[in-house]
Amino acid sequence: MSISALDLYRALADLLRAGHLMRSSDLAATVNAALRPLNLRVSIYLIDLEQRALRLLPDADDTVTDPIPADEGAPGEAFTTVRIVAAPDRSDLIWVPIMDGTERIGVARIVLPGADLLDDPEIRLGLTSMVGLIGHLVVAKTVYGDLLRRVRRSRPMSTEGELLWHNLPPLTFATDRLAISAVLEPCYEVGGDAFDYAVDNDHAHLEIFDAVGHGLRAGLTAVLTLAATRAARSRGADLDDMAKAADAALTSQFDDLRYTTAVLADLDLRTGLLRYLNAGHHPPVLMRGGKAVAYLDEEHRMPLGLADPRPATAQQQLEPGDRLLLYTDGITEAHSPEGGPFGLDRLIALAEHHSVDGLPVPEILRRIAHAVLDHQHGHLDDDATLMIVEWATGAGPRIVP
Amino acid sequence: MAFEALVSEDTPGRYVIRIDGDLAFPDSDGLVETVAGLVADSGTADVVLDLAGVGFLDSSGVRALLQARQATLAKDGSLTVTGARGTVAEVLRITAVDDLLGSSG
């Protein structure tokens, strides 16, 4: 039995139309209603926040299954490599990565009405378009209910985590010549770390933050810092003025020297010239050809919230293919119970190792985050954030299906 | 407390506080209380914090140093840091508070 391109087009149109009046809890059933005329059956698995397991978004016809480990079997391969993977034991079953742009949302398990249908490029295009639409719908509908958030959580979210995650941009963004990806741990208790970015025209703005202390107070400090720099940035302020805006916001709300260390950066996507301001933060690492070649420590000022009149903006020329590693000390200072911090050398070695493997940047980050957690036997004492920025032709296309 | 503070008065109004242990969350606020107590007792206080015995300093520890300094400045006193070494000196350098605390070099 085959399916026609016209049928696929009609199914896409049906799903788009149904999407207008859809609750998040209707998503799985609505997708399958649209695909029923084609004898296609889709199960939607969403990646959890810690990126460890793929969890079923159930509809009425699904029996709820155990979560699937994110790096095992055909579904794991589809998720980690961002490619369509055929089931090894069934010629009518495929696993398709679900994306929103370049953000990995999960995988779709699709049962086809016949074998080898994917050999037809029209059908392949129709199916990937359908899964693309599913990815956009998952993200669009998440904010209207709690269900999609709940499916993606393996345990309850803390107040500070709730506060922070709602203010962060998606973990990954990419264009044809730029890829930005980040991870934050521990997912459900994170509070004091944050990152931000904005890519418009020929500029990529990048920010990483680490607020003093722990828990909800640190979370409030981090979110306030992020909001102040984002507001300044979006009205066109330069790096120094973004820092001053954060100083003003923090000192207006806290009278106890509460501060946030940060790196604020502005990358010119045409020329590769990076301007950066380091406010008391660990210097970002510049990686070239898989090796750490420089630390961005030319200038620095005191952390945001401790007004520092010293000019602190410096610059670094990037070469095509360069990667920047921005991190907080929760990564490098994660201590194993046997003693010894995770360390910057290990971080650089892992980033280098996985780059050689040719893994997509979000997958490199996922693995490094898990290595940091495993180093500390699954329990982090401090928030840990890592962001990788790649300035290279083809950086983006490598991380889409 | 994960550190001990040994206070000695050099000359009237001038104190040396030797810290031993980790100056870090959640114990570092104790340092602020110690210094605030000195200032409350003696008015103007010039404090030298000897960090030679400190093995770990985190951002909460840095904040405690700055708050202790603020307590002395409020009564026209001063606070300087000395003896920082290894990762402790590195943290003061990275956070760029070393000039303010007189601990550079």
Side-chain angles (χ1 to χ4, degrees):
Chain A
M1 188 168 176
S2 187
I3 44 183
S4 75
L6 185 60
D7 288 342
L8 272 165
Y9 165 77
R10 285 205 180 106
L12 270 173
D14 284 348
L15 182 54
L16 264 172
R17 193 171 54 239
H20 289 295
L21 299 178
M22 190 174 75
R23 291 166 300 185
S24 54
S25 49
D26 299 327
L27 206 153
T30 309
V31 166
N32 278 299
L35 288 171
R36 197 159 294 130
L38 286 72
N39 288 307
L40 279 169
R41 168 90 193 132
V42 176
S43 301
I44 298 169
Y45 288 83
L46 301 177
I47 188 68
D48 55 21
L49 205 53
E50 60 269 48
Q51 301 187 75
R52 293 264 182 189
L54 296 155
R55 294 168 185 276
L56 181 68
L57 174 67
D59 79 16
D61 298 337
D62 283 311
T63 47
V64 176
T65 54
D66 287 337
I68 303 172
D71 40 19
E72 287 180 18
E77 191 184 338
F79 177 77
T80 55
T81 64
V82 197
R83 287 202 184 84
I84 298 175
V85 177
D89 50 346
R90 280 178 64 175
S91 58
D92 64 340
L93 175 58
I94 55 170
W95 295 87
V96 183
I98 304 176
M99 313 285 288
D100 178 50
T102 47
E103 178 87 343
R104 300 187 297 181
I105 304 293
V107 292
R109 176 186 187 272
I110 303 182
V111 181
L112 302 163
D116 303 324
L117 284 176
L118 276 191
D119 295 343
D120 182 339
E122 290 277 357
I123 294 176
R124 197 180 177 91
L125 178 64
L127 279 179
T128 50
S129 303
M130 174 60 71
V131 177
L133 177 56
I134 293 172
H136 289 314
L137 282 173
V138 168
V139 171
K141 292 296 174 185
T142 292
V143 292
Y144 297 108
D146 286 330
L147 177 72
L148 289 166
R149 275 194 285 271
R150 199 154 56 222
V151 169
R152 299 185 69 174
R153 292 173 180 177
S154 64
R155 54 199 165 92
M157 180 63 76
S158 66
T159 302
E160 53 267 40
E162 202 71 61
L163 178 72
L164 184 72
W165 282 108
H166 283 280
N167 284 289
L168 295 180
L171 292 179
T172 302
F173 177 77
T175 69
D176 56 347
R177 55 184 167 176
L178 171 78
I180 301 169
S181 196
V183 278
L184 241 94
E185 290 283 354
C187 296
Y188 300 93
E189 290 83 26
V190 72
D193 279 8
F195 67 91
D196 197 13
Y197 59 81
V199 184
D200 292 294
N201 300 316
D202 291 317
H203 286 264
H205 278 90
L206 315 157
E207 292 98 28
I208 189 165
F209 305 101
D210 184 356
V212 68
H214 293 269
L216 192 49
R217 288 304 292 277
L220 286 166
T221 311
V223 169
L224 178 59
T225 310
L226 184 150
T229 53
R230 187 183 285 168
R233 186 189 70 208
S234 64
R235 66 173 176 261
D238 65 14
L239 301 178
D240 273 313
D241 284 340
M242 286 169 65
K244 288 197 181 94
D247 288 339
L250 287 163
T251 51
S252 76
Q253 294 304 307
F254 300 115
D255 56 7
D256 55 0
L257 300 177
R258 212 156 273 285
Y259 67 72
T260 305
T261 73
V263 174
L264 316 176
D266 175 2
L267 173 62
D268 187 320
L269 296 172
R270 292 162 304 182
T271 64
L273 184 68
L274 179 82
R275 303 182 74 249
Y276 66 91
L277 180 151
N278 186 334
H281 199 84
H282 284 270
V285 182
L286 174 60
M287 297 191 64
R288 181 169 295 160
K291 303 265 180 251
V293 294
Y295 299 97
L296 305 188
D297 58 358
E298 197 68 21
E299 300 277 352
H300 61 184
R301 50 155 280 172
M302 289 195 290
L304 305 179
L306 307 174
D308 189 339
R310 290 177 284 190
T313 302
Q315 60 186 46
Q316 170 76 44
Q317 181 63 50
L318 302 195
E319 291 182 5
D322 280 358
R323 282 180 177 174
L324 287 173
L325 247 57
L326 300 102
Y327 65 97
T328 64
D329 57 10
I331 296 272
T332 47
E333 286 169 14
H335 266 264
S336 79
E338 294 79 36
F342 190 79
L344 182 57
D345 291 344
R346 195 184 319 231
L347 170 62
I348 291 170
L350 270 178
E352 182 183 337
H353 171 73
H354 290 315
S355 306
V356 174
D357 289 347
L359 290 173
V361 171
E363 182 58 20
I364 294 175
L365 282 168
R366 192 183 74 91
R367 295 190 186 191
I368 294 176
H370 292 171
V372 171
L373 274 162
D374 293 346
H375 182 75
Q376 207 152 319
H377 294 212
H379 176 77
L380 287 181
D381 294 330
D382 193 7
D383 300 333
T385 301
L386 177 62
M387 186 188 219
I388 294 183
V389 179
E390 183 177 14
W391 183 62
T393 305
R398 275 198 293 279
I399 52 179
V400 292
Chain B
M1 213 156 59
F3 66 89
E4 285 183 25
L6 183 67
V7 182
S8 54
E9 188 167 10
D10 254 17
T11 55
R14 184 185 148 80
Y15 300 88
V16 175
I17 306 179
R18 185 184 158 87
I19 316 280
D20 280 296
D22 292 346
L23 199 54
F25 183 87
D27 307 304
S28 50
D29 284 351
L31 174 68
V32 185
E33 288 161 25
T34 301
V35 172
L38 282 184
V39 172
D41 291 346
S42 71
T44 301
D46 293 309
V47 175
V48 176
L49 279 178
D50 182 353
L51 301 187
V54 175
F56 180 63
L57 175 70
D58 74 355
S59 64
S60 296
V62 170
R63 177 164 163 262
L65 294 175
L66 296 171
Q67 287 181 297
R69 173 177 177 271
Q70 196 175 50
T72 61
L73 292 183
K75 290 284 174 63
D76 297 322
S78 67
L79 181 142
T80 51
V81 162
T82 163
R85 58 195 169 75
T87 59
V88 172
E90 182 73 3
V91 168
L92 293 173
R93 195 186 62 76
I94 286 173
T95 46
V97 298
D98 44 0
D99 287 347
L100 201 66
L101 296 170
S103 71
S104 46

